[in-house]
Amino acid sequence: MNSKSRLQIPRPTARPGEKPDFSYLDLSPAGSIDKPPIDARTRDIEHLSGGLVRVLDEDHSAKGAWNPNFDANQLQVGLRWMLLNRVFDERMWQIQRQGRISFYMQATGEEAVSIAQGMALRPGDMCFPSYRNQGLFMYRGVKLVDMMCQCLSNTRDMCQGRQLPIMYHTKTGNVFSVSGNLGTQYPHAVGWAMASAIKGEDHIAASWVGDGTTAEADFHHALTFAAVYQAPVILNVVNNQWAISTFQGTAAGQRRAFAARGLGLGIPGIRVDGNDFLAVYSASLWAADRARRGGGPTLIELVTYRGGPHSTSDDPSKYRPKDEWLSFPLGDPIERLKQHMIAEGHWSDARHESLVDELRTEVTAAWKEAQKHGTMTEGPWLDPATMFDDVFAEAPRNLDSQRRRMLEVERGE
């Protein structure tokens, strides 16, 4: 036996040019994980953090206690929103490549996370998203035109040109602003949930981070406060296997499931097939009901895969096999739900293609409208004077003075 210690360097199972290898993923058969009552003690449901809650099997049949038993209409609603998310992403990616917006991030392969969880939450619940939750904004009522205008930083930009593209927000939809500093939204969500509990409301909060963010301090601070004060919050870890070019093992994902991170604090964890629309919905509804009835926080790990580049600034061919997305054992969430609906007699390939065409027309029309409010190269232009707005409740003299001087320069005085 070698008595010398050795530094462990986490490495991905496959690099460019090698065969994709997902042997490190622990998968459970569909329907094999039990669904406990929402008042179960954390110590009695620790197994949920190690197994994998799945509803859809390889034959696209729904199995087990976690099956939400959706009717045809509910299934079609979910599929439509996921498809809209993907069609929108594809269009915006093309627009960025044409040089018409500066930056974009797709949610390819992760659409079930935003849409299924959005459907499981109530309108009064507050969401603290990450930058791949654009489907959540769509589902909560943000118009495609407004999302496009934010990416254009034009005269209709909800952020008035003050945010990086894709960092949307909606006050009426109860979705907090996306933050470029990932992890900050976790403590915000816990604080909001604590305030809701103090006021005696039944609203809960939900937040999303990636696997890489679990190595940041904000993640652990949030879990501690959530546990101590039993905040009514759902804390989601979207484990899409890659934190930009860093494999999830660098955040210790190969040691133990991310869902188990809260067990030491008494926070139950559920590891869920993030590409199974039905499983994501059911687990999220379970956690939401638990929080509303005083059961405190739940940590949900959504096992999925980032199908595209991290962003328009990324080239994943430099660090992972080119065809890795096609080899991911949990498949494509949209295709899986589509095949389930066809198997149930609720859908067909023809209806699917018709819906895709309809959504592409909708996205194209939204883009034509968005351009009317200005682009990176064509007016109308955002008024520079708006930089002085929304900074102070009452503008101080020095700010008023700066505004006047700017206007005088514009007039040539």
Side-chain angles (χ1 to χ4, degrees):
M1 179 177 178
N2 189 346
S3 61
K4 294 182 179 180
S5 61
R6 182 172 61 88
L7 183 65
Q8 173 66 35
I9 307 296
R11 289 184 172 84
T13 52
R15 283 296 192 185
E18 298 176 344
K19 184 179 179 181
D21 181 3
F22 290 100
S23 59
Y24 64 89
L25 280 180
D26 290 326
L27 306 179
S28 305
S32 65
I33 304 297
D34 68 298
K35 183 180 181 180
I38 60 172
D39 59 353
R41 298 181 303 175
T42 301
R43 71 183 68 175
D44 296 329
I45 53 176
E46 288 190 13
H47 65 282
L48 293 180
S49 66
L52 186 68
V53 174
R54 301 176 68 187
V55 173
L56 294 175
D57 65 11
E58 284 69 20
D59 295 325
H60 311 296
S61 297
K63 294 183 176 180
W66 291 95
N67 180 9
N69 295 305
F70 276 167
D71 60 28
N73 180 66
Q74 290 171 302
L75 292 171
Q76 290 173 22
V77 167
L79 182 66
R80 187 188 191 283
W81 283 110
M82 286 202 294
L83 269 174
L84 178 61
N85 189 164
R86 184 163 296 183
V87 170
F88 181 84
D89 278 354
E90 289 171 351
R91 179 64 168 159
M92 295 304 289
W93 188 273
Q94 293 170 355
I95 288 169
Q96 193 280 334
R97 287 302 192 235
Q98 294 167 356
R100 303 166 85 179
I101 61 174
S102 60
F103 180 81
Y104 195 73
M105 300 180 79
Q106 295 177 304
T108 307
E110 301 177 36
E111 294 89 354
V113 171
S114 292
I115 303 306
Q117 293 198 295
M119 291 175 67
L121 297 171
R122 297 178 183 175
D125 297 336
M126 190 69 185
C127 299
F128 294 79
S130 180
Y131 44 56
R132 233 175 288 279
N133 285 119
Q134 52 265 52
L136 183 65
F137 286 92
M138 297 174 192
Y139 183 77
R140 288 214 157 197
V142 180
K143 295 180 179 179
L144 301 185
V145 171
D146 289 324
M147 295 175 71
M148 290 172 168
C149 286
Q150 196 278 328
C151 292
L152 286 164
S153 296
N154 63 17
T155 56
R156 189 169 163 172
D157 177 8
M158 64 180 74
C159 301
Q160 296 183 295
R162 301 173 184 177
Q163 273 277 36
L164 185 74
I166 60 87
M167 295 190 179
Y168 321 104
H169 66 260
T170 170
K171 183 176 181 179
T172 57
N174 284 332
V175 189
F176 197 72
S177 175
V178 175
S179 171
N181 300 313
L182 267 189
T184 58
Q185 66 269 35
Y186 246 40
H188 294 162
V190 173
W192 192 96
M194 290 168 60
S196 178
I198 290 171
K199 291 184 287 186
E201 299 174 347
D202 69 347
H203 303 315
I204 69 170
S207 189
W208 294 259
V209 295
D211 46 279
T213 305
T214 63
E216 295 184 12
D218 281 337
F219 174 84
H220 299 281
H221 294 160
L223 259 63
T224 299
F225 271 77
V228 170
Y229 297 103
Q230 286 295 280
V233 61
I234 301 175
L235 297 170
N236 297 289
V237 175
V238 184
N239 179 9
N240 64 14
Q241 314 308 310
W242 292 95
I244 308 183
S245 59
T246 303
F247 181 60
Q248 57 104 11
T250 305
Q254 289 172 303
R255 293 291 179 183
R256 198 176 185 189
F258 293 108
R261 294 286 166 94
L263 292 179
L265 295 167
I267 298 177
I270 310 178
R271 187 168 171 263
V272 183
D273 179 347
N275 288 5
D276 182 337
F277 177 82
L278 300 180
V280 174
Y281 174 88
S282 189
S284 302
L285 185 62
W286 184 92
D289 287 344
R290 182 182 176 93
R292 275 184 233 287
R293 301 186 190 184
T298 301
L299 180 64
I300 298 179
E301 177 186 351
L302 299 144
V303 182
T304 181
Y305 187 87
R306 193 193 76 216
H310 175 74
S311 72
T312 50
S313 303
D314 175 46
D315 180 3
S317 68
K318 301 294 185 182
Y319 55 82
R320 69 185 190 189
K322 185 177 181 179
D323 58 347
E324 194 172 60
W325 161 231
L326 300 177
S327 301
F328 187 61
L330 297 179
D332 180 329
I334 292 177
E335 183 63 20
R336 288 176 67 187
L337 183 58
K338 169 191 169 183
Q339 293 301 329
H340 170 65
M341 292 168 62
I342 290 175
E344 293 289 303
H346 303 317
W347 203 239
S348 67
D349 287 322
R351 293 179 68 182
H352 192 84
E353 289 305 313
S354 177
L355 178 57
V356 170
D357 290 341
E358 174 190 328
L359 296 177
R360 284 176 177 160
T361 300
E362 181 181 341
V363 170
T364 298
W367 174 245
K368 290 180 179 179
E369 173 63 25
Q371 292 179 91
K372 296 178 182 178
H373 302 276
T375 68
M376 291 173 62
T377 57
E378 300 174 334
W381 311 109
L382 187 64
D383 184 358
T386 59
M387 76 172 81
F388 298 99
D389 298 335
D390 307 317
V391 180
F392 295 94
E394 296 182 12
R397 290 186 197 175
N398 64 312
L399 212 60
D400 281 334
S401 174
Q402 291 173 30
R403 187 200 300 265
R404 287 195 301 272
R405 278 184 286 166
M406 187 196 75
L407 292 175
E408 290 169 356
V409 170
E410 285 184 342
R411 293 194 298 263
E413 297 177 4

